[in-house]
Amino acid sequence: MAGALIRLDWRDRAACRGPQAREFYPPGRGERRDEKYRRELRAKDVCSRCPVVDDCLEYAVGIRETHGIWGGTRAVERRGRGRAACRGGV
């Protein structure tokens, strides 16, 4: 449709789209602690350059996502943010 506005979802603008997405979740096989640490650092580095990192974090906290790196945080880091948001501050 000519002239139609296309509204992009925040996920369409996320820096994690593409081949680097594999860094955000553990592999199907187990991983050693040092491998997990390095993978999470790589994922958080992508998040640090992402234009929608705040939207991503808000989404993950809102749905109580328990897996992966979202908005530059691990699940354990998001748990505290969810409780803080419920009390009126992040």
Side-chain angles (χ1 to χ4, degrees):
M1 176 173 6
L5 293 176
I6 298 173
R7 183 180 176 276
L8 292 177
D9 186 68
W10 65 266
R11 290 169 283 202
D12 295 325
R13 299 187 322 268
C16 61
R17 292 180 59 88
Q20 65 275 12
R22 70 180 175 276
E23 302 292 347
F24 290 78
Y25 291 94
R29 58 158 178 82
E31 67 183 339
R32 294 188 327 254
R33 186 176 295 154
D34 62 320
E35 292 172 328
K36 178 180 179 180
Y37 178 76
R38 287 193 304 273
R39 178 184 51 77
E40 289 178 343
L41 283 179
R42 289 190 301 269
K44 287 181 173 192
D45 184 56
V46 172
C47 292
S48 73
R49 299 184 309 271
C50 184
V52 295
V53 68
D54 294 333
D55 295 313
C56 180
L57 178 58
E58 181 180 336
Y59 175 80
V61 169
I63 66 165
R64 297 180 185 196
E65 178 60 58
T66 59
H67 300 285
I69 303 294
W70 288 76
T73 63
R74 299 178 301 133
V76 68
E77 295 166 330
R78 289 191 297 274
R79 276 187 288 235
R81 291 176 187 257
R83 287 190 295 272
C86 291
R87 290 191 306 266
V90 176

